[in-house]
Amino acid sequence: MTPRTARSICAALMAAGVAISAAACGGSSSSSGAGTSKNAAATGTLNVWIRGAGDSPKAYQKIFDAFTAQTGIKVSIGKATLTDFETALTAAASAHQLPDVVIDDAAQMGNFVSQGIVLPIDKTKFTGADQLTDQAWASATDLKGQTYAVPFSAQANVLLVRKDWLDKLGLQPPKTWDDLAKVAQAFTTQDPDGDGKNDTYGLAVPGSTSRGYTSWFWSSFLYSAGGDYLKANAGKFTATLNTPQAVSSAQFLEDQVCKNKDVQPSALGDDTTAANKAFQTGVAGMYLTGPYAYATMDATAVKGKYIAIAPPTGPTGTAGTLAEGTDIFTMADSKQDEVTKLEEFMVTPAAQKIGMTAIPSATVVRLPVNKTVDASVVHGNDPRWQLAQQVYATSGHYEYDNAPNWTQLRQKMSDDLNKLLSSCGSVQTGLDSMNSDVASLLKQQGVG
């Protein structure tokens, strides 16, 4: 069996959810297929796959057109979808038909490295590396310090709040969890839209287990409580999901769902599309989400009726919120030299600005990773973008994208948390069980 065949089989098993360690796959960072592509000097049209839909491919095409005009190197979008994207990529790896470049969530890095389908990035030879923020580069670096992707876009969750509802009820924007609970309860019980019906709720929650949304949404509360999912030390991880901080954050969320009942009724089955709709249609009056939602919300009836504020602080005054990114991955056997030129172009100020404004309905660059670009200025001095950039810099907290398979861990935590919230059970008991489950998975992945 060749190493590549072994990796393909392991990739298929991991994609199918079969428990198999990264080490067994030969997929630790040190044996991940890192190195130089055998096709490094090849030329021709670059095949790029993008996890995105709607108008996003149009925005990326604008960037690629500018790159082609500058370099003469053509770029073709081979696939662009949100549905089963990683499954399709795994199938392409098994068929030895990987694209040259993949643009995907930063959270996929560890998974791709474990499968041995991406090449490392040599920052010392990457033109413009010093213009990218250290925070963004850190999110693309594994436990041993090897960088496996080029950061392209960043974001951090902010809180959208219906200003017209606050004004009608004589309330102030929430600054703490206590404030948040009070406003949520008022939005649920005091008819803020004035239609005489009991049909509004405080908080829009994407609580579905799909793609790990339950855990994804919880993370901002976990960080602002001073908690965390894991603790990294000497190349290993320890699960920290049953600490007092984690328990308090899960208890707060359970209180909103079970005791106060101030989230939309379908919350535990809703993905982000459904949660967006709950806010856009006046079902819920607050929504913790990324700044990419500005364009989506401004295209609906809530335009001009909501404000964006920093996420409320936790019980000890800690400011924390989920930070995420979109990365550019150099795939194994790619036309590596030309791919590097594309990657270097995509993080220039010019390309970052194209990604922020060329297609208003698709801001594929949410917050620029290039520290010379001011998001607020690019968006016409819109203070919402200044807020988002400030929140990202001061309290943004990435998930553990460098775990061998963070997707698997997040999915398990989401399943466990959704089960806890659905049953309104003991939070301490639920998180003790979750911590044990995650500890077992970390051992299976070779980092526990």
Side-chain angles (χ1 to χ4, degrees):
M1 182 184 299
T2 67
R4 181 58 179 274
T5 303
R7 287 199 299 271
S8 297
I9 291 173
C10 286
L13 290 170
M14 294 177 77
V18 175
I20 186 168
S21 73
C25 287
S28 65
S29 297
S30 60
S31 58
S32 64
T36 302
S37 165
K38 66 182 180 183
N39 298 316
T43 60
T45 301
L46 293 177
N47 179 16
V48 180
W49 283 22
I50 299 165
R51 185 180 183 275
D55 289 338
S56 291
K58 296 178 183 177
Y60 281 108
Q61 191 62 59
K62 293 285 187 182
I63 296 173
F64 299 153
D65 289 346
F67 171 71
T68 301
Q70 180 173 303
T71 65
I73 300 171
K74 296 181 179 179
V75 179
S76 174
I77 299 176
K79 182 180 286 293
T81 183
L82 292 174
T83 305
D84 297 329
F85 181 78
E86 287 80 23
T87 301
L89 189 61
T90 297
S94 299
H96 295 194
Q97 294 180 343
L98 283 170
D100 294 294
V101 176
V102 165
I103 301 174
D104 200 350
D105 296 343
Q108 294 295 331
M109 186 190 76
N111 187 24
F112 291 166
V113 173
S114 296
Q115 294 185 47
I117 61 175
V118 294
L119 296 174
I121 304 297
D122 186 348
K123 288 170 56 180
T124 65
K125 298 179 180 178
F126 189 90
T127 302
D130 60 338
Q131 292 192 13
L132 275 59
T133 67
D134 293 339
Q135 193 176 8
W137 274 124
S139 72
T141 303
D142 73 1
L143 285 173
K144 296 182 179 179
Q146 176 64 61
T147 302
Y148 275 97
V150 176
F152 172 65
S153 169
Q155 66 185 47
N157 279 356
V158 296
L159 185 67
L160 309 186
V161 187
R162 285 290 295 266
K163 181 68 165 55
D164 55 334
W165 289 13
L166 288 173
D167 292 343
K168 184 175 187 301
L169 300 180
L171 300 170
Q172 295 297 313
K175 295 181 179 179
T176 67
W177 283 11
D178 286 344
D179 295 340
L180 181 69
K182 291 175 182 175
V183 172
Q185 190 64 187
F187 282 179
T188 304
T189 62
Q190 298 182 28
D191 192 23
D193 61 357
D195 68 353
K197 300 178 181 178
N198 184 23
D199 58 357
T200 57
Y201 298 89
L203 194 61
V205 175
S208 165
T209 59
S210 174
R211 291 186 68 83
Y213 279 128
T214 321
S215 175
W216 176 85
F217 182 78
W218 173 47
S219 60
S220 290
F221 293 99
L222 177 63
Y223 298 143
S224 59
D228 206 340
Y229 292 105
L230 310 174
K231 180 180 179 181
N233 184 37
K236 299 286 186 180
F237 289 113
T238 302
T240 56
L241 289 155
N242 58 352
T243 62
Q245 294 85 357
V247 171
S248 73
S249 64
Q251 186 67 62
F252 180 82
L253 192 55
E254 186 184 88
D255 285 348
Q256 310 319 306
V257 174
C258 298
K259 186 172 70 176
N260 300 338
K261 300 185 185 303
D262 51 21
V263 305
Q264 81 275 23
S266 56
L268 298 184
D270 282 354
D271 58 15
T272 50
T273 299
N276 285 346
K277 186 176 180 181
F279 186 78
Q280 293 164 356
T281 58
V283 172
M286 292 185 286
Y287 188 23
L288 195 58
T289 187
Y292 51 84
Y294 298 159
T296 306
M297 301 306 169
D298 287 353
T300 70
V302 297
K303 180 180 180 180
K305 297 180 179 177
Y306 72 93
I307 56 174
I309 63 174
T313 56
T316 61
T318 301
T321 193
L322 173 66
E324 296 181 290
T326 301
D327 284 353
I328 312 168
F329 296 96
T330 307
M331 307 309 288
D333 298 338
S334 63
K335 296 183 276 292
Q336 192 174 1
D337 293 347
E338 293 191 337
V339 168
T340 299
K341 292 178 181 177
L342 175 61
E343 292 169 337
E344 291 173 343
F345 178 81
M346 290 182 71
V347 297
T348 61
Q352 293 270 286
K353 292 175 184 175
I354 293 172
M356 297 170 72
T357 61
I359 305 295
S361 57
T363 49
V364 294
V365 173
R366 281 75 182 261
L367 294 175
V369 295
N370 191 308
K371 54 193 175 188
T372 69
V373 180
D374 186 320
S376 177
V377 171
V378 174
H379 286 288
N381 295 316
D382 186 336
R384 298 177 301 178
W385 286 99
Q386 184 179 31
L387 167 78
Q389 204 157 16
Q390 183 179 24
V391 167
Y392 170 76
T394 59
S395 57
H397 195 310
Y398 281 90
E399 296 175 307
Y400 288 87
D401 303 338
N402 54 3
N405 193 342
W406 175 251
T407 303
Q408 181 191 42
L409 298 172
R410 183 168 62 184
Q411 186 62 55
K412 181 56 183 171
M413 291 185 286
S414 184
D415 292 345
D416 287 356
L417 185 60
N418 185 279
K419 182 179 179 181
L420 172 64
L421 298 177
S422 298
S423 66
C424 300
S426 165
V427 170
Q428 183 68 64
T429 300
L431 293 195
D432 283 343
S433 177
M434 183 193 296
N435 198 68
S436 178
D437 290 343
V438 170
S440 296
L441 290 176
L442 288 170
K443 288 182 179 178
Q444 290 177 20
Q445 293 184 16
V447 290

